[in-house]
Short mmCIF file of all heavy atoms in Angstrom, two decimals:
data_model
loop_
_atom_site.label_atom_id
_atom_site.label_comp_id
_atom_site.label_asym_id
_atom_site.label_seq_id
_atom_site.Cartn_x
_atom_site.Cartn_y
_atom_site.Cartn_z
N LYS A 83 90.60 118.10 103.33
CA LYS A 83 90.24 118.48 101.99
C LYS A 83 89.59 117.30 101.29
O LYS A 83 90.17 116.16 101.32
CB LYS A 83 91.51 118.78 101.19
CG LYS A 83 92.07 120.18 101.69
CD LYS A 83 93.15 120.66 100.74
CE LYS A 83 92.53 121.21 99.49
NZ LYS A 83 93.49 121.85 98.59
N PRO A 84 88.46 117.56 100.62
CA PRO A 84 87.74 116.33 99.86
C PRO A 84 88.58 115.80 98.82
O PRO A 84 88.43 114.60 98.43
CB PRO A 84 86.43 116.96 99.32
CG PRO A 84 86.59 118.53 99.43
CD PRO A 84 87.72 118.76 100.52
N GLU A 85 89.47 116.51 98.24
CA GLU A 85 90.42 115.96 97.17
C GLU A 85 91.21 114.85 97.61
O GLU A 85 91.53 113.97 96.82
CB GLU A 85 91.35 117.11 96.59
CG GLU A 85 90.64 118.22 95.91
CD GLU A 85 90.12 119.30 96.78
OE1 GLU A 85 90.13 119.23 98.01
OE2 GLU A 85 89.62 120.38 96.19
N LYS A 86 91.57 114.73 98.97
CA LYS A 86 92.28 113.67 99.43
C LYS A 86 91.41 112.36 99.43
O LYS A 86 91.97 111.35 98.98
CB LYS A 86 92.80 113.93 100.89
CG LYS A 86 93.69 112.81 101.43
CD LYS A 86 94.27 113.24 102.80
CE LYS A 86 95.17 112.17 103.37
NZ LYS A 86 95.75 112.60 104.64
N ASN A 87 90.19 112.46 99.78
CA ASN A 87 89.38 111.33 99.67
C ASN A 87 89.17 110.90 98.22
O ASN A 87 89.12 109.68 97.84
CB ASN A 87 87.99 111.53 100.33
CG ASN A 87 87.31 110.26 100.67
OD1 ASN A 87 87.91 109.21 101.13
ND2 ASN A 87 86.07 110.11 100.25
N THR A 88 88.96 111.85 97.29
CA THR A 88 88.92 111.54 95.88
C THR A 88 90.13 110.81 95.42
O THR A 88 90.10 109.78 94.70
CB THR A 88 88.74 112.81 95.09
OG1 THR A 88 87.48 113.49 95.46
CG2 THR A 88 88.65 112.61 93.58
N ALA A 89 91.30 111.28 95.86
CA ALA A 89 92.58 110.53 95.45
C ALA A 89 92.66 109.13 95.95
O ALA A 89 92.93 108.24 95.23
CB ALA A 89 93.74 111.32 96.13
N ARG A 90 92.14 108.94 97.17
CA ARG A 90 92.05 107.49 97.64
C ARG A 90 91.12 106.67 96.79
O ARG A 90 91.47 105.50 96.58
CB ARG A 90 91.53 107.51 99.14
CG ARG A 90 92.56 108.03 100.15
CD ARG A 90 91.92 108.12 101.51
NE ARG A 90 92.96 108.40 102.49
CZ ARG A 90 92.80 109.19 103.61
NH1 ARG A 90 91.59 109.72 103.76
NH2 ARG A 90 93.72 109.32 104.43
N THR A 91 90.03 107.23 96.44
CA THR A 91 89.17 106.47 95.54
C THR A 91 89.74 106.15 94.22
O THR A 91 89.71 105.01 93.66
CB THR A 91 87.76 107.29 95.30
OG1 THR A 91 87.14 107.55 96.57
CG2 THR A 91 86.87 106.59 94.36
N MET A 92 90.46 107.11 93.74
CA MET A 92 91.17 106.92 92.37
C MET A 92 92.22 105.90 92.52
O MET A 92 92.46 105.10 91.64
CB MET A 92 91.62 108.26 91.85
CG MET A 92 90.53 109.28 91.58
SD MET A 92 89.23 108.77 90.45
CE MET A 92 90.19 109.01 88.91
N ILE A 93 93.01 105.96 93.60
CA ILE A 93 94.08 104.97 93.81
C ILE A 93 93.44 103.59 93.90
O ILE A 93 94.04 102.65 93.24
CB ILE A 93 94.84 105.33 95.10
CG1 ILE A 93 95.65 106.54 94.99
CG2 ILE A 93 95.73 104.09 95.48
CD1 ILE A 93 96.18 107.13 96.36
N SER A 94 92.45 103.46 94.62
CA SER A 94 91.62 102.18 94.65
C SER A 94 91.19 101.63 93.34
O SER A 94 91.30 100.44 93.06
CB SER A 94 90.50 102.17 95.71
OG SER A 94 90.96 102.55 97.00
N MET A 95 90.74 102.61 92.54
CA MET A 95 90.15 102.26 91.23
C MET A 95 91.36 101.78 90.38
O MET A 95 91.16 100.71 89.68
CB MET A 95 89.54 103.47 90.58
CG MET A 95 89.12 103.26 89.19
SD MET A 95 88.53 104.71 88.27
CE MET A 95 90.10 105.44 88.01
N THR A 96 92.40 102.49 90.25
CA THR A 96 93.57 102.00 89.44
C THR A 96 94.07 100.68 89.95
O THR A 96 94.49 99.76 89.13
CB THR A 96 94.67 103.11 89.36
OG1 THR A 96 95.17 103.34 90.63
CG2 THR A 96 94.16 104.34 88.64
N ASN A 97 94.16 100.48 91.22
CA ASN A 97 94.65 99.25 91.82
C ASN A 97 93.79 98.10 91.30
O ASN A 97 94.17 96.94 90.97
CB ASN A 97 94.66 99.24 93.32
CG ASN A 97 95.91 100.06 93.86
OD1 ASN A 97 96.80 100.34 93.07
ND2 ASN A 97 95.72 100.42 95.06
N GLU A 98 92.43 98.31 91.43
CA GLU A 98 91.48 97.29 91.02
C GLU A 98 91.51 97.01 89.50
O GLU A 98 91.48 95.85 89.05
CB GLU A 98 90.02 97.74 91.31
CG GLU A 98 88.99 96.63 91.04
CD GLU A 98 87.62 96.92 91.49
OE1 GLU A 98 87.41 97.96 92.18
OE2 GLU A 98 86.71 96.14 91.13
N ILE A 99 91.59 98.06 88.68
CA ILE A 99 91.78 97.85 87.15
C ILE A 99 93.05 97.04 86.89
O ILE A 99 92.94 96.12 86.09
CB ILE A 99 91.74 99.20 86.46
CG1 ILE A 99 90.45 99.92 86.52
CG2 ILE A 99 92.29 99.04 84.98
CD1 ILE A 99 90.41 101.33 86.00
N ASN A 100 94.09 97.37 87.54
CA ASN A 100 95.33 96.71 87.30
C ASN A 100 95.29 95.17 87.75
O ASN A 100 95.72 94.29 87.03
CB ASN A 100 96.59 97.34 87.90
CG ASN A 100 96.93 98.57 87.16
OD1 ASN A 100 96.86 98.70 85.93
ND2 ASN A 100 97.27 99.68 87.96
N ALA A 101 94.81 94.85 88.90
CA ALA A 101 94.66 93.65 89.47
C ALA A 101 93.65 92.79 88.72
O ALA A 101 93.99 91.61 88.39
CB ALA A 101 94.32 93.64 90.95
N LYS A 102 92.44 93.23 88.48
CA LYS A 102 91.42 92.40 87.91
C LYS A 102 91.51 92.30 86.41
O LYS A 102 91.11 91.35 85.81
CB LYS A 102 89.94 93.05 88.27
CG LYS A 102 89.55 92.69 89.64
CD LYS A 102 88.07 93.19 89.71
CE LYS A 102 87.42 92.72 90.96
NZ LYS A 102 85.96 93.17 91.08
N TYR A 103 91.83 93.40 85.73
CA TYR A 103 91.65 93.42 84.32
C TYR A 103 93.06 93.46 83.49
O TYR A 103 93.24 92.63 82.68
CB TYR A 103 90.77 94.69 83.86
CG TYR A 103 89.49 94.58 84.57
CD1 TYR A 103 89.19 95.49 85.65
CD2 TYR A 103 88.53 93.70 84.23
CE1 TYR A 103 88.04 95.43 86.33
CE2 TYR A 103 87.28 93.58 84.86
CZ TYR A 103 87.03 94.47 85.96
OH TYR A 103 85.80 94.40 86.55
#
Side-chain angles (χ1 to χ4, degrees):
K83 292 191 77 176
E85 292 86 354
K86 186 173 181 181
N87 197 48
T88 299
R90 286 177 172 141
T91 300
M92 300 301 282
I93 293 165
S94 295
M95 178 189 71
T96 57
N97 288 344
E98 182 175 353
I99 290 169
N100 286 323
K102 278 188 171 180
Y103 305 104

